[in-house]
Amino acid sequence: GQQLNQSPQSMFIQEGEDVSMNCTSSSIFNTWLWYKQDPGEGPVLLIALYKAGELTSNGRLTAQFGITRKDSFLNISASIPSDVGIYFCAGPPNNAGNMLTFGGGTRLMVKP
Amino acid sequence: GAVVSQHPSWVICKSGTSVKIECRSLDFQATTMFWYRQFPKQSLMLMATSNEGSKATYEQGVEKDKFLINHASLTLSTLTVTSAHPEDSSFYICSARRIRDSSYEQYFGPGTRLTVT
């Protein structure tokens, strides 16, 4: 099936630094979703993107739907300790049906 | 809105017994719910899609007789792990898609950690 490749797999940064992560696919996606998962919890939807080139913000988070429709980026500005967690990108494989396929996740660690 | 709950949050059971996990959409109706399994430090793996009033659709490699899914109402889906074995120990997460949404957004429950001894 279609795979979403996320990078980096993990990041260890200093509090206050900006963070950038991305998600790529070999196929075109019409929707990109970004989730955050805290340890022992379910993922929480952060940002949803529906149009190529779309740039959407949610507080300190900004996500972009790549022009090629094969990638998406998530940026976090001025990171804080509570940003720690795993960030997943997701999208509908084959752009049909209800299901989502998930990237492998980016584990973010923030040093106070 | 878009709150999904799961019960129990954790459960320990003996090998050979069955365990039922409930997934509820608290403030919206969901015709479709999804069940995922997640191993430590790994991504979410879709097990099955649960459709209200019809049979669930299972992903390849998931035994439908072992993981029984029932979606009897627009706010409740259940996953029963039958004859559980230690290798079934995992973090099980459900999600729901709002009935009015034409988007693919899914809202997740907090997960259930199953430990089979």
Side-chain angles (χ1 to χ4, degrees):
Chain A
Q2 292 176 305
Q3 290 187 327
L4 294 180
N5 300 306
Q6 268 187 262
S7 66
Q9 287 187 328
S10 63
M11 303 178 71
F12 190 81
I13 63 170
Q14 192 76 34
E15 181 178 1
E17 291 182 351
D18 296 342
V19 174
S20 183
M21 60 190 79
N22 69 78
C23 190
T24 60
S25 171
S26 58
S27 302
I28 290 175
F29 276 68
N30 290 333
T31 298
W32 288 94
L33 306 174
W34 284 93
Y35 287 87
K36 182 195 178 193
Q37 185 178 27
D38 290 330
E41 299 288 333
V44 174
L45 182 62
L46 299 174
I47 294 176
L49 302 164
Y50 297 101
K51 294 181 181 179
E54 179 181 357
L55 188 70
T56 299
S57 294
N58 179 4
R60 294 178 295 105
L61 277 63
T62 302
Q64 183 164 23
F65 193 142
I67 291 292
T68 64
R69 295 178 174 266
K70 293 183 178 182
D71 56 13
S72 179
F73 304 87
L74 177 68
N75 297 314
I76 305 173
S77 63
S79 60
I80 58 178
S82 62
D83 290 334
V84 166
I86 304 176
Y87 293 80
F88 291 102
C89 62
N94 301 313
N95 296 306
N98 299 316
M99 56 186 289
L100 293 175
T101 189
F102 283 79
T106 294
R107 183 180 297 272
L108 179 64
M109 293 159 280
V110 180
K111 182 178 181 181
Chain B
V3 180
V4 177
S5 70
Q6 273 184 250
H7 178 79
S9 56
W10 60 270
V11 57
I12 302 173
C13 71
K14 292 185 177 181
S15 187
T17 61
S18 295
V19 174
K20 179 186 283 187
I21 303 170
E22 293 186 349
C23 178
R24 293 181 184 273
S25 54
L26 299 184
D27 54 0
F28 66 100
Q29 293 183 321
T31 51
T32 306
M33 291 184 172
F34 304 86
W35 287 95
Y36 294 83
R37 186 173 181 177
Q38 187 178 35
F39 292 104
K41 297 186 178 181
Q42 292 190 22
S43 188
L44 287 78
M45 182 187 76
L46 179 65
M47 298 175 65
T49 301
S50 169
N51 297 296
E52 186 267 337
S54 64
K55 292 183 178 180
T57 302
Y58 290 81
E59 294 301 299
Q60 190 173 7
V62 178
E63 299 177 57
K64 62 180 181 180
D65 294 331
K66 180 168 184 62
F67 298 99
L68 301 178
I69 291 173
N70 183 275
H71 193 159
S73 77
L74 290 173
T75 60
L76 173 65
S77 176
T78 60
L79 168 68
T80 301
V81 183
T82 63
S83 187
H85 288 94
E87 57 265 31
D88 298 325
S89 299
S90 190
F91 192 52
Y92 292 87
I93 314 174
C94 73
S95 70
R97 184 166 169 265
R98 285 189 297 202
I99 192 171
R100 62 178 175 84
D101 278 351
S102 59
S103 69
Y104 293 97
E105 296 172 20
Q106 292 180 22
Y107 298 91
F108 285 83
T112 297
R113 183 159 303 282
L114 170 64
T115 302
V116 185
T117 61

